[in-house]
Structures are given as structure tokens and as C-alpha cells.
Amino acid sequence: MADLNLFAGEIAGVIFKLIYFGAIIGTITVVILDNRNPVKTMAWILILMFLPLVGLVFYFFFGRSTRRERIISKKTYNRLMKKPIAEYLAQENSSYPQMYARLIELFKETNQALPFEGNRMEIFTEGYAKLQALIQQLYRAKHHIHMEYYIIEDDAVGRLIRDVLIDKAREGVEVRVVYDDVGCWHVPGSFFEEMKNAGIEVRAFLKVRFPLFTSKVNYRNHRKIVVIDGRIGFVGGMNLAERYLRGFAWGEWRDTHIMIEGKAVHGLQTAFLLDWYFVDSTLITSSRYFPRIESCGDSMAQIVTSDPIGPWKEIMQGLVMAISQAQKYFYIQTPYFLPTEPILAALQTAALSGVDVRLMLPAQADNRITHLGSFSYLKDVMSAGVKVYFYRRGFLHSKLMVADDYLATVGSTNVDFRSFEHNFEVNAFVYDTQAALAMKEVFLNDQRKCSQVFLKNWIKRPLKQRAAESVVRLLAPLL
């Protein structure tokens, strides 16, 4: 009997090993046949080979590709775009800035992002000013408020905005809110229930009902959009949480957000209504949400979105073109720097050709692993002539880029694989000298609070530090 039990145990062990290694080999085969970026493919193969159990778990949650399918039919999409297109075509004597005509056409072709003239921009570089302006505009709402955030905390800031929205809903204003389910995982359900009880329509984006049994956790809505009466819009890097005002014990929170007044708000409205259709299966196309707007300023702007569903990486491709077209300078602020190969090559090429390329990162970040990975790329860019600066006042969360005193972009997109390939993101691309100069001044003012990193010193970092960074870099496509 003992021999029989031993034999049965050996058979069970063999069967387990066959299933286990079959799962590993099968997963590696799926990764290879998926025809992804070779760097990402190799990263997954290495993890699955050397950390098989961990690799299988991580691949199940974070590795599987989304299905490349339309979340909205072409006919339905055309119905939604009918009013914005009419407003775009109604622009008199509209002409693209010659230098960025190809970039604008790229966004029109890949993202249906329409360039609108006559916009006014207001820039916010700290949380109190942005929150004050947002509350002021929310209280002015007459018809509708559309709000979409990755994070809405149940703290003083989140509750303040919630109470304002409840006040407006009770006045008869239509209020719709989209929040990311993973970004708000730890927010109690009662927080959103209080909104719903007041008549606010609240929806979670890609709700993760069983986080241990789904890959939805990997594809998140990182957008920050507010649209008020179809005339005023907010977009940028700030979520609704106290830390965006108070920062950390070790320093301030430096971020960038903009308020847009003008026809470009149609782009933000379109982005929100597409997401609303995604979470609610309700298509909103009434002209009430796309009012006629007179010229409010001198800026031309496009609202560009990107997501893991469509065939193109719209924002990443646009940034590659923008960097490549820079003639004098290209300045970048980003909290995380894990660039894809096209972005890295574009930065190196621009710097080598004599363009003044500057990259600003936080000296200390909120995510140690990602920060280590960011450090591993700095030698690559500095060797090509890119100037690197570490922001010392606190955590730099700003996603701002400006070039040649004419192009600027602000939004939710980080310079990393996650933003370019996995997240739902949104950026405003602004073509205007006045706006670009204002954002350039923001960058230069932050630069005064930085220390520059020099290649001759950077390469002398301890071997232990460089080794840790290199290991994390192997995982960069997966972070």
C-alpha cells in the first residue's frame, strides 16, 4: 500500500510538472505569436523563464493584450462627431501653422482630433489655484457638468468637490461623473452612493469585480477631464486628492493643469462622451452639449486621446513627430521616464542634431521601482547631449512639453510604456506663441529649483545602484 501511495504521488508530481511547464511554454508561445514590440516580448520571456510562477501571475493580470476591436460603431461615432465637425468646418479662414501642419494632420487622421481656433488658456501650477478655479466654474454651471478623474479621494478635497456637485444637481444641473475603478479602489462605496442619491450619474470605468481573476486591472483610465456647459474645460495632471495641494512631508507636489475656454472644449466633450458611452452604453449627441462658441483667444488647440484598444499609439506617435520637428528647443517635464524606443531615439536624434533638449524629472518620486527604471535611461540621453535636471523642491508630477516658442502640450500622459500603451490618456496640444512662452516660463522657473545632472558624475554612481536600475529596466515595458 505504501508503495502504491508513493507511486501515485510520483504520478501526480509528474502530471503537475507537465501542466506547470506546459503552461509556461504555452504562455511564452502566446507572447511570441502576439507580435509585440520585441523589447516587451523579451521582457515577458525572461520573467516567465526565470520567475515562472510570478511570471504566470503577472502575465495573467498585466500581460494579456486587449482585443483590437471598436468599442463604438463607425455609424454611432459619426453621430457623436457630427456637431464638432460642423463647428470645425464653420471656422472662417482657418489655416494651420505651417511648421506643425503634418503633426495636426497626423492627429486628425489617427485620432479624429479636430484643430480649433480661438481658445483662451489659463495655466495652473499648484493645486490650490486649480481647485479654486474649478469650484468657481462648477458653481457657474447652468446646464451640465461632465467630470472624469483617475483618482477621486474620500478626503477633504474629494468631499468638497462632491458637495459642490450635489449642490448643482439639486439646482437641476445635469451632472455625470466617471472615475477609474482601480484608481479609486480604496474609496468606500458610500462616497459615490451619496452622489447617486442626489441625482448625479456616477459610473466606474472598467469595473474590476474580481481583481484576482481579471486582466482589466492593467488597462486604466488615467484621464482628468472636466467640461462645464460645453464651454469651459479642464485637463492636465491633477486628480482630486489632498496630496495634490499639500504634497508630502518631504516636499511640495508640483503639477500642471490648464483651463480651456473656447471651441477646443468640443474635443474634451467628445472624449468624455465616448468614455460615457463606454461605461453606460448611452450615446449623447444633442447639440446642447456642443453650443456655438465665439472666439475667446488666440490659441489653436487639439484634444488628443490615446488608448490600448485602437491600432495606433496616437500621443506617442505625435510626440515622436513633435520632437523630430523641433528646430531650436524641446523641453520635457515628466514624473516617470521609461521611454519607448521611438521616443528615446527621437530625443537622442534631436539632441545630436543641435536641438536644445531638456528633460526634467523629480529627484524623489512616489514610486521607487519606477524611479529606478527612469534613472537607467539617463546615461543614454545625456550621452547624446540631452540636458537632465532633477527637481529638488518635492515631487514633480507635471506632464508638460514645450518647443520652439510655438508648440506646447499638457495632459495626463507620462513618458513611459504604461501611458503610451496601456492607459486611456488625454493631452491638449496647443499651437500659439503666447501659450508656449507662458509654459516655457513655467519650465524655466522650475529649472531654477533643480540641480543639473552631468554625465561625468552620473556614470560614477555605485555599481550596486547601477545594477538595481538595470534590473528594473528589463521590466520597464511591463511597469
Side-chain angles (χ1 to χ4, degrees), residues 108-227:
K108 282 182 62 182
E109 177 66 26
T110 61
N111 195 242
Q112 292 75 54
L114 302 175
F116 287 104
E117 295 179 325
N119 301 284
R120 182 182 73 85
M121 308 286 168
E122 187 171 345
I123 306 170
F124 306 104
T125 58
E126 52 91 17
Y128 283 103
K130 181 257 184 174
L131 182 65
Q132 185 178 32
L134 176 60
I135 291 173
Q136 185 180 57
Q137 295 299 332
L138 289 175
Y139 270 122
R140 291 178 179 174
K142 302 296 183 184
H143 178 257
H144 69 270
I145 295 169
H146 290 161
M147 183 175 289
E148 180 172 359
Y149 278 99
Y150 176 63
I151 296 171
I152 305 176
E153 291 281 14
D154 183 17
D155 60 16
V157 171
R159 289 190 292 270
L160 176 59
I161 295 299
R162 179 197 62 188
D163 292 345
V164 173
L165 296 179
I166 289 173
D167 287 346
K168 298 307 294 184
R170 288 172 177 165
E171 291 176 10
V173 174
E174 297 177 17
V175 183
R176 297 179 178 89
V177 175
V178 176
Y179 66 92
D180 186 80
D181 193 56
V182 171
C184 298
W185 251 354
H186 58 286
V187 178
S190 58
F191 179 85
F192 297 110
E193 282 300 320
E194 192 169 340
M195 288 191 196
K196 294 177 182 178
N197 293 337
I200 298 173
E201 295 186 73
V202 183
R203 302 289 184 272
F205 192 91
L206 277 183
K207 195 169 183 63
V208 181
R209 297 185 183 279
F210 303 102
L212 297 180
F213 303 99
T214 181
S215 62
K216 288 182 180 179
V217 70
N218 197 34
Y219 302 106
R220 307 319 316 165
N221 191 324
H222 196 237
R223 295 168 183 163
K224 295 92 176 165
I225 295 174
V226 177
V227 177

Side-chain angles (χ1 to χ4, degrees), residues 260-281:
I260 303 174
E261 182 179 4
K263 296 179 181 180
V265 177
H266 290 332
L268 289 174
Q269 185 79 288
T270 302
F272 177 88
L273 293 178
L274 280 170
D275 286 343
W276 188 258
Y277 179 84
F278 186 80
V279 298
D280 191 66
S281 299

Side-chain angles (χ1 to χ4, degrees), residues 35-80:
N35 289 327
R36 308 180 185 207
N37 182 311
V39 175
K40 181 177 284 190
T41 298
M42 286 306 301
W44 277 118
I45 290 174
L46 287 171
I47 289 178
L48 289 164
M49 288 178 63
F50 294 104
L51 296 170
L53 185 59
V54 174
L56 279 174
V57 173
F58 268 71
Y59 182 78
F60 187 80
F61 292 134
F62 304 114
R64 294 182 294 168
S65 293
T66 52
R67 293 163 59 194
R68 296 292 181 181
E69 61 183 12
R70 283 186 176 272
I71 61 173
I72 183 170
S73 70
K74 186 174 182 180
K75 181 179 179 181
T76 303
Y77 183 78
N78 288 340
R79 285 175 57 197
L80 177 60

